[in-house]
Amino acid sequence: MKQNKYFILLVVFCIGFVTISQAQHRRYAIKNGFGIYGGITQYDILTDNFETKPGNGWMVGASATVDLPHKWYNISYTIQLAENEVGIATRPVTLPAESQFLDYKVFTAQIALLMHVKLIKSFLTIDIGPMLQYNGELKLQDDQYENFIVANYDNLLAKDISDVNKFNIDGTVGVSAGFSHFRVKAQYIYGFTNMLGKLDKDDNLDLTGNDKKIKGNQSMFAFTAMITF
């Protein structure tokens, strides 16, 4: 229930940006557009504590664009939702045993303010900007493995690493190409904040076997196609 409240707040915040009073600058003859998009993602957590394997997922989103014909850039406000997967190496309690990657799922909701630098007018742009992200827990997809031991640790269980930071600040850079009503986009999203910081502060976790501070940054690629109106 708490996660739903956070998500609703993000949606309301984003809608506030894309109202006519916010998006329309009164000194210029600008054009406003609206687009919806969807595609696939590749997700990973960059960390020295866990052995990870990138996983695939999906993304959907909406974008409100302020088109400035007389400028070298455009501006857009976006909200995008994604369900991502990442593999984390674990091993059975019984030793010796080879490690195996368990699949975790994480839901993300992101709002962004993007600048679209025009390379070939609006047909080809470089997209860059900050993001505010809310994400759910790292959810183990198969509960039968919840008591496996996380690789590099002696007693840290697979089920113990689900409670990660819920709010994170990201940056994105990408490229988009297309015409007035259809575009394709490639986007890389990096998490500036320590997504795993909450685990490091949990005194109830047994971190024996790895003396490093738990730190991890989100890494996501997204490839989408957008229809604009």
Side-chain angles (χ1 to χ4, degrees), residues 49-62:
N49 302 98
F50 308 142
E51 297 175 24
T52 66
K53 181 176 69 174
N56 298 321
W58 55 263
M59 173 182 285
V60 294

PDB file of all heavy atoms in Angstrom, residues 49-62:
ATOM      1  N   ASN A  49      30.332  -6.012  -4.307  1.00  0.00           N
ATOM      2  CA  ASN A  49      29.914  -6.914  -3.241  1.00  0.00           C
ATOM      3  C   ASN A  49      29.276  -8.199  -3.760  1.00  0.00           C
ATOM      4  O   ASN A  49      29.504  -9.276  -3.218  1.00  0.00           O
ATOM      5  CB  ASN A  49      28.931  -6.203  -2.315  1.00  0.00           C
ATOM      6  CG  ASN A  49      29.501  -4.944  -1.711  1.00  0.00           C
ATOM      7  OD1 ASN A  49      29.239  -3.849  -2.196  1.00  0.00           O
ATOM      8  ND2 ASN A  49      30.318  -5.077  -0.671  1.00  0.00           N
ATOM      9  N   PHE A  50      28.453  -8.076  -4.790  1.00  0.00           N
ATOM     10  CA  PHE A  50      27.757  -9.219  -5.356  1.00  0.00           C
ATOM     11  C   PHE A  50      28.249  -9.501  -6.770  1.00  0.00           C
ATOM     12  O   PHE A  50      28.725  -8.598  -7.465  1.00  0.00           O
ATOM     13  CB  PHE A  50      26.241  -8.972  -5.413  1.00  0.00           C
ATOM     14  CG  PHE A  50      25.639  -8.530  -4.116  1.00  0.00           C
ATOM     15  CD1 PHE A  50      24.626  -7.582  -4.094  1.00  0.00           C
ATOM     16  CD2 PHE A  50      26.069  -9.055  -2.906  1.00  0.00           C
ATOM     17  CE1 PHE A  50      24.056  -7.169  -2.907  1.00  0.00           C
ATOM     18  CE2 PHE A  50      25.516  -8.653  -1.704  1.00  0.00           C
ATOM     19  CZ  PHE A  50      24.500  -7.699  -1.700  1.00  0.00           C
ATOM     20  N   GLU A  51      28.117 -10.755  -7.170  1.00  0.00           N
ATOM     21  CA  GLU A  51      28.338 -11.118  -8.567  1.00  0.00           C
ATOM     22  C   GLU A  51      26.987 -11.047  -9.273  1.00  0.00           C
ATOM     23  O   GLU A  51      26.057 -11.772  -8.918  1.00  0.00           O
ATOM     24  CB  GLU A  51      28.917 -12.531  -8.660  1.00  0.00           C
ATOM     25  CG  GLU A  51      30.278 -12.696  -8.004  1.00  0.00           C
ATOM     26  CD  GLU A  51      30.746 -14.137  -8.028  1.00  0.00           C
ATOM     27  OE1 GLU A  51      30.266 -14.895  -8.912  1.00  0.00           O
ATOM     28  OE2 GLU A  51      31.552 -14.512  -7.176  1.00  0.00           O
ATOM     29  N   THR A  52      26.886 -10.168 -10.249  1.00  0.00           N
ATOM     30  CA  THR A  52      25.605  -9.940 -10.900  1.00  0.00           C
ATOM     31  C   THR A  52      25.664 -10.300 -12.382  1.00  0.00           C
ATOM     32  O   THR A  52      26.732 -10.344 -12.988  1.00  0.00           O
ATOM     33  CB  THR A  52      25.155  -8.475 -10.763  1.00  0.00           C
ATOM     34  OG1 THR A  52      26.056  -7.632 -11.488  1.00  0.00           O
ATOM     35  CG2 THR A  52      25.119  -8.045  -9.305  1.00  0.00           C
ATOM     36  N   LYS A  53      24.484 -10.524 -12.937  1.00  0.00           N
ATOM     37  CA  LYS A  53      24.342 -10.801 -14.367  1.00  0.00           C
ATOM     38  C   LYS A  53      23.181  -9.970 -14.894  1.00  0.00           C
ATOM     39  O   LYS A  53      22.072 -10.022 -14.337  1.00  0.00           O
ATOM     40  CB  LYS A  53      24.080 -12.291 -14.597  1.00  0.00           C
ATOM     41  CG  LYS A  53      23.933 -12.680 -16.055  1.00  0.00           C
ATOM     42  CD  LYS A  53      23.771 -14.182 -16.213  1.00  0.00           C
ATOM     43  CE  LYS A  53      22.442 -14.651 -15.661  1.00  0.00           C
ATOM     44  NZ  LYS A  53      22.198 -16.096 -15.940  1.00  0.00           N
ATOM     45  N   PRO A  54      23.403  -9.181 -15.960  1.00  0.00           N
ATOM     46  CA  PRO A  54      22.311  -8.355 -16.487  1.00  0.00           C
ATOM     47  C   PRO A  54      21.113  -9.201 -16.905  1.00  0.00           C
ATOM     48  O   PRO A  54      21.258 -10.313 -17.401  1.00  0.00           O
ATOM     49  CB  PRO A  54      22.946  -7.653 -17.702  1.00  0.00           C
ATOM     50  CG  PRO A  54      24.419  -7.718 -17.446  1.00  0.00           C
ATOM     51  CD  PRO A  54      24.658  -8.997 -16.713  1.00  0.00           C
ATOM     52  N   GLY A  55      19.931  -8.635 -16.683  1.00  0.00           N
ATOM     53  CA  GLY A  55      18.697  -9.306 -17.083  1.00  0.00           C
ATOM     54  C   GLY A  55      17.850  -8.394 -17.948  1.00  0.00           C
ATOM     55  O   GLY A  55      18.080  -7.181 -18.020  1.00  0.00           O
ATOM     56  N   ASN A  56      16.864  -8.976 -18.605  1.00  0.00           N
ATOM     57  CA  ASN A  56      16.004  -8.227 -19.513  1.00  0.00           C
ATOM     58  C   ASN A  56      14.665  -7.898 -18.857  1.00  0.00           C
ATOM     59  O   ASN A  56      14.240  -8.551 -17.911  1.00  0.00           O
ATOM     60  CB  ASN A  56      15.766  -9.021 -20.796  1.00  0.00           C
ATOM     61  CG  ASN A  56      17.052  -9.293 -21.563  1.00  0.00           C
ATOM     62  OD1 ASN A  56      17.923  -8.425 -21.626  1.00  0.00           O
ATOM     63  ND2 ASN A  56      17.189 -10.477 -22.119  1.00  0.00           N
ATOM     64  N   GLY A  57      14.011  -6.873 -19.385  1.00  0.00           N
ATOM     65  CA  GLY A  57      12.701  -6.474 -18.875  1.00  0.00           C
ATOM     66  C   GLY A  57      11.964  -5.653 -19.913  1.00  0.00           C
ATOM     67  O   GLY A  57      12.316  -5.641 -21.096  1.00  0.00           O
ATOM     68  N   TRP A  58      10.930  -4.954 -19.461  1.00  0.00           N
ATOM     69  CA  TRP A  58      10.134  -4.126 -20.369  1.00  0.00           C
ATOM     70  C   TRP A  58       9.946  -2.730 -19.787  1.00  0.00           C
ATOM     71  O   TRP A  58      10.104  -2.512 -18.581  1.00  0.00           O
ATOM     72  CB  TRP A  58       8.771  -4.754 -20.633  1.00  0.00           C
ATOM     73  CG  TRP A  58       7.965  -5.068 -19.394  1.00  0.00           C
ATOM     74  CD1 TRP A  58       7.875  -6.266 -18.755  1.00  0.00           C
ATOM     75  CD2 TRP A  58       7.147  -4.158 -18.644  1.00  0.00           C
ATOM     76  NE1 TRP A  58       7.063  -6.163 -17.643  1.00  0.00           N
ATOM     77  CE2 TRP A  58       6.593  -4.880 -17.554  1.00  0.00           C
ATOM     78  CE3 TRP A  58       6.836  -2.796 -18.777  1.00  0.00           C
ATOM     79  CZ2 TRP A  58       5.748  -4.292 -16.620  1.00  0.00           C
ATOM     80  CZ3 TRP A  58       5.984  -2.218 -17.833  1.00  0.00           C
ATOM     81  CH2 TRP A  58       5.449  -2.958 -16.773  1.00  0.00           C
ATOM     82  N   MET A  59       9.620  -1.787 -20.659  1.00  0.00           N
ATOM     83  CA  MET A  59       9.399  -0.405 -20.255  1.00  0.00           C
ATOM     84  C   MET A  59       8.244   0.196 -21.049  1.00  0.00           C
ATOM     85  O   MET A  59       8.100  -0.069 -22.251  1.00  0.00           O
ATOM     86  CB  MET A  59      10.659   0.435 -20.481  1.00  0.00           C
ATOM     87  CG  MET A  59      10.479   1.940 -20.244  1.00  0.00           C
ATOM     88  SD  MET A  59      11.987   2.894 -20.584  1.00  0.00           S
ATOM     89  CE  MET A  59      12.954   2.485 -19.124  1.00  0.00           C
ATOM     90  N   VAL A  60       7.423   1.005 -20.387  1.00  0.00           N
ATOM     91  CA  VAL A  60       6.419   1.831 -21.056  1.00  0.00           C
ATOM     92  C   VAL A  60       6.541   3.235 -20.487  1.00  0.00           C
ATOM     93  O   VAL A  60       7.009   3.426 -19.351  1.00  0.00           O
ATOM     94  CB  VAL A  60       4.981   1.297 -20.855  1.00  0.00           C
ATOM     95  CG1 VAL A  60       4.810  -0.053 -21.530  1.00  0.00           C
ATOM     96  CG2 VAL A  60       4.635   1.203 -19.367  1.00  0.00           C
ATOM     97  N   GLY A  61       6.128   4.229 -21.277  1.00  0.00           N
ATOM     98  CA  GLY A  61       6.249   5.591 -20.794  1.00  0.00           C
ATOM     99  C   GLY A  61       5.429   6.570 -21.590  1.00  0.00           C
ATOM    100  O   GLY A  61       4.799   6.222 -22.600  1.00  0.00           O
ATOM    101  N   ALA A  62       5.431   7.802 -21.109  1.00  0.00           N
ATOM    102  CA  ALA A  62       4.742   8.903 -21.777  1.00  0.00           C
ATOM    103  C   ALA A  62       5.630  10.132 -21.705  1.00  0.00           C
ATOM    104  O   ALA A  62       6.368  10.326 -20.728  1.00  0.00           O
ATOM    105  CB  ALA A  62       3.394   9.180 -21.126  1.00  0.00           C
TER     106      ALA A  62
END
